[in-house]
């Protein structure tokens, strides 16, 4: 994970990964066959941890959107994970990248989750029924992703939690939600 | 530009670039000395074109923010440029990347420009004086960047202009601006 985060996939050396794990290259390839498969295994492992952390019951409606601000706040304390996703998600749009399908599916899943939360908010009367849920969901996901790259380049200049909070609060307020706490 | 956009910097081959330009590798290196210098020259060239396109007089206050929605709309018609910036800005956070300084400066410049427009909006009475201009500026830049990666992976699922419009309109409305047109 550290090697892919620091170098991206294309520039990561299997020798460096083997050295860090105290294995030979052949030893690593015994478990993961190819560098591409090692990458997707790392990403799957990360996702499993995140899903576990989210718990079986995610908050419903707007509470889920507020929960994302906590995620941004927590991300500011785990630079390695943020770097891994920021580097690999963008690198995945290059030709023939082994994680392209992974990230396409991941965004589709994130979008579905945020869209569902926004629909719940409409049903709960927290948002108007005519909310453009897909465009809003994409904007929410985008602001979190975009802040990560800015923050990695200049951590002193970017407050991920504050900017995420501002964007999500504004998006919800713009939609007519009552966004005061509690 | 096409090669860096399709492969990222690390994976770009000087031979491919030379072939596309109808030169030998030595011929390319005669003009640009190193692959790193070729990359920064490509980015500088792009920026010059963008600044020219923006014109000498950028719109003041909120009009500038609305102008960014037009930019997102235009970006949906120039996939190569979007890919170049999306791939390279994220790749630039990897260790020892030759464009790291370039992107740090670029975000600093973008942030300063959006902060200035938000301050103008405060002075013009378009926004309240206590607007958190830096957090807001970072969120505006982030949403545009984040949408690009999502769009490159799934152009059918992401409307860059609509989501940017929603986010910027919401951010401004959340700040108390009158965001109706005209």
């Amino acid at each position: 994970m550290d090697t892919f985060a620091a170098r991206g996939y294309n520039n990561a050396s299997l020798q460096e990964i083997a050295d860090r794990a105290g294995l030979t290259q052949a030893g690593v390839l015994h478990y993961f066959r190819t560098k591409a498969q090692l990458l997707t295994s790392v990403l799957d492992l990360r996702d499993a941890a995140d899903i576990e952390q989210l718990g079986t019951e995610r908050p419903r409606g707007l509470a889920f959107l507020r929960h994302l601000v906590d995620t941004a706040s927590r991300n500011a304390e785990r630079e390695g994970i943020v770097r891994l996703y920021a580097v690999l998600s963008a690198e995945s749009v290059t030709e023939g990248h082994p994680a392209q399908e992974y990230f396409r599916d991941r965004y589709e899943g994130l979008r579905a989750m945020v869209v569902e939360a926004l629909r719940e908010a409409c049903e709960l009367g927290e948002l108007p029924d005519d909310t453009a849920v897909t465009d809003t969901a994409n904007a929410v996901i985008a602001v979190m992703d975009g802040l990560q790259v800015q923050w990695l380049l200049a951590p002193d200049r970017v407050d991920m939690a504050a900017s995420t909070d501002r964007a999500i609060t504004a998006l919800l307020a713009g939609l007519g939600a009552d966004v005061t706490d509690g």
Side-chain angles (χ1 to χ4, degrees), chain A:
Chain A
M1 202 185 83
D2 291 341
T3 300
F4 287 134
R7 314 205 183 285
Y9 171 77
N10 289 328
N11 220 26
S13 128
L14 204 55
Q15 185 60 56
E16 177 182 331
I17 293 168
D19 288 347
R20 286 179 150 188
L23 291 168
T24 61
Q25 287 199 45
V28 172
L29 294 177
H30 170 73
Y31 293 104
F32 295 100
R33 286 202 315 180
T34 62
K35 193 173 106 175
Q37 198 168 318
L38 177 57
L39 173 67
T40 50
S41 300
V42 165
L43 294 171
D44 286 342
L45 180 70
R46 275 299 325 151
D47 269 1
D50 269 358
I51 288 164
E52 204 169 298
Q53 195 265 328
L54 188 62
T56 46
E57 285 278 308
R58 68 154 180 77
R60 277 170 56 81
L62 291 193
F64 177 70
L65 280 289
R66 288 196 204 97
H67 171 81
L68 294 178
V69 178
D70 299 337
T71 303
S73 182
R74 204 169 50 248
N75 280 344
E77 278 151 37
R78 43 179 209 172
E79 202 240 15
I81 304 290
V82 168
R83 186 176 295 272
L84 183 75
Y85 279 91
V87 170
L88 291 174
S89 61
E91 195 185 35
S92 82
V93 312
T94 59
E95 274 176 27
H97 195 282
Q100 194 165 107
E101 205 56 38
Y102 170 87
F103 278 104
R104 193 172 286 129
D105 290 350
R106 185 164 197 271
Y107 280 112
E108 193 63 33
L110 283 171
R111 188 176 295 133
M113 194 153 52
V114 181
V115 162
E116 192 179 68
L118 290 168
R119 289 220 176 99
E120 285 165 5
C122 296
E123 281 161 26
L124 294 166
E126 296 174 326
L127 288 179
D129 284 335
D130 62 349
T131 300
V133 289
T134 302
D135 289 340
T136 304
N138 287 339
V140 166
I141 297 163
V143 79
M144 297 182 71
D145 282 352
L147 285 168
Q148 295 185 350
V149 174
Q150 290 184 57
W151 175 73
L152 288 165
L153 284 167
D156 296 344
R157 305 289 287 141
V158 178
D159 183 333
M160 283 203 290
S163 280
T164 303
D165 189 11
R166 179 152 296 275
I168 289 183
T169 301
L171 277 163
L172 299 178
L175 296 171
D178 176 3
V179 287
T180 50
D181 274 328

